[in-house]
């Protein structure tokens, strides 16, 4: 109770970003997962832009350190970083991490090799005979996690791009990925002829929410979580989360020489 009271007391007197210098600096681990997080993108990517601005709302500055996802996960758990950007909500992670309030919500979808006749599904047993590619170290959602456990038809690869290459070549039959990342990779990294070899099937698997992951083992974890959640609330009230999503779809965060526009209206 004393910890909770202290956090509430501190939040009441936290200066906003407009009141001088930051009173706290956090070090956050991040990974290369364009267009959401990347050192090659404006503001470190869409998600990191939101995280930076949310914490600035409470007078907190952020330093990002980029590294491979599994390394970032382990280092954050070991207490080397104050938080990890970012992760989908997965129940199995709750024993080690606090999930912040949602940063964004995305559709998790299946892509299939175009030569496969399947264009729709209703339950995972409908695709049980298909060879599924998944990305090493990535947790999709609780349903997919349960489906792939011990499944001999599941093949792990090191990146989403490798899985798309395998899908295009027919080495795998189906691949789950969030729709925006799938669109980004296919448009940016593959030719029209290669894209013709994959198809998006319906319905989408689920809506996944993205979160700042705060390790439970650090002394300041509750404070970091509370500060970020307060900042996200402020951004929501100001309409900035909607604005950032529009910027993402318009290609703002990407390298100007090879920009992908998501807004297909």
């Amino acid at each position: 109770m004393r910890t909770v009271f202290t956090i509430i007391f501190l939040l009441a007197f936290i200066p906003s970003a407009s009141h001088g210098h930051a009173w706290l600096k956090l070090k956050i681990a991040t990974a290369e997962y364009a267009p959401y997080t990347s050192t090659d993108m404006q503001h470190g990517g869409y998600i990191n832009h939101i995280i930076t601005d949310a914490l600035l709302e409470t007078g907190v500055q952020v330093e990002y350190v980029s590294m491979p996802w599994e390394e970032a996960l382990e280092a954050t758990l070991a207490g080397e970083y104050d938080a990890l950007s970012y992760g989908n909500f997965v129940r199995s992670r709750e024993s080690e991490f606090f999930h912040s309030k949602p940063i964004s919500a995305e559709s998790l979808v299946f892509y299939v090799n175009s030569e496969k006749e399947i264009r729709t599904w209703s339950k995972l047993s409908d695709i049980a005979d298909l060879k599924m590619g998944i990305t090493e170290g990535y947790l999709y959602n609780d349903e997919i996690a349960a489906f792939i456990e011990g499944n001999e038809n599941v093949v792990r690869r090191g990146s989403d791009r490798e899985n798309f290459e395998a899908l295009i070549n027919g080495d795998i039959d189906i691949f789950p990925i969030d729709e925006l990342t799938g669109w980004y990779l296919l448009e940016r990294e593959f030719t029209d002829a290669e894209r013709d070899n994959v198809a998006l099937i319906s319905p989408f698997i689920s809506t996944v929410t993205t979160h700042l992951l705060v390790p439970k083992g650090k002394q300041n974890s509750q404070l970091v979580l509370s500060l970020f959640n307060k900042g996200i609330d402020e951004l929501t009230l100001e309409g900035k989360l909607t604005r950032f999503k529009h910027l993402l779809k318009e290609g703002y965060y990407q390298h100007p020489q090879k920009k992908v526009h998501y807004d297909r209206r």
Side-chain angles (χ1 to χ4, degrees), residues 60 116 125 168 177 241:
V60 178
K116 295 296 172 181
S125 58
I168 289 166
I177 189 172
L241 290 184

Side-chain angles (χ1 to χ4, degrees), residues 38-91:
S38 175
T39 55
D40 193 38
M41 306 188 87
Q42 294 285 345
H43 300 281
Y46 164 65
I47 293 292
N48 284 349
H49 191 190
I50 293 174
I51 291 171
T52 298
D53 270 39
L55 287 167
L56 278 175
E57 289 284 342
T58 62
V60 178
Q61 286 188 348
V62 178
E63 175 190 351
Y64 293 102
V65 180
S66 182
M67 63 193 77
W69 166 254
E70 290 188 326
E71 184 180 330
L73 196 69
E74 292 175 6
T76 306
L77 277 176
E80 297 176 28
Y81 300 95
D82 296 295
L84 171 60
S85 171
Y86 67 99
N88 293 341
F89 180 83
V90 181
R91 287 191 187 90

Side-chain angles (χ1 to χ4, degrees), residues 165-209:
E165 289 172 346
L167 194 63
I168 289 166
N169 296 332
D171 296 329
I172 59 175
D173 305 316
I174 193 166
F175 172 47
I177 189 172
D178 81 81
E179 187 173 10
L180 214 52
T181 301
W183 172 261
Y184 174 83
L185 283 173
L186 287 171
E187 290 295 319
R188 184 180 168 93
E189 305 293 341
F190 296 95
T191 65
D192 289 342
E194 289 171 327
R195 286 193 291 271
D196 287 341
N197 289 331
V198 300
L200 183 65
I201 65 172
S202 62
F204 63 85
I205 304 166
S206 65
T207 298
V208 292
T209 53

Side-chain angles (χ1 to χ4, degrees), residues 3 7 72-84 89-100 211-226 229:
T3 301
I7 290 170
L73 196 69
E74 292 175 6
T76 306
L77 277 176
E80 297 176 28
Y81 300 95
D82 296 295
L84 171 60
F89 180 83
V90 181
R91 287 191 187 90
S92 61
R93 252 198 300 252
E94 287 188 295
S95 62
E96 297 175 317
F97 287 99
F98 294 112
H99 291 78
S100 72
H211 305 261
L212 182 69
L213 300 180
V214 181
K216 289 188 172 181
K218 290 198 72 172
Q219 187 175 0
N220 69 342
S221 292
Q222 287 282 4
L223 177 61
V224 172
L225 184 68
S226 298
N229 286 343

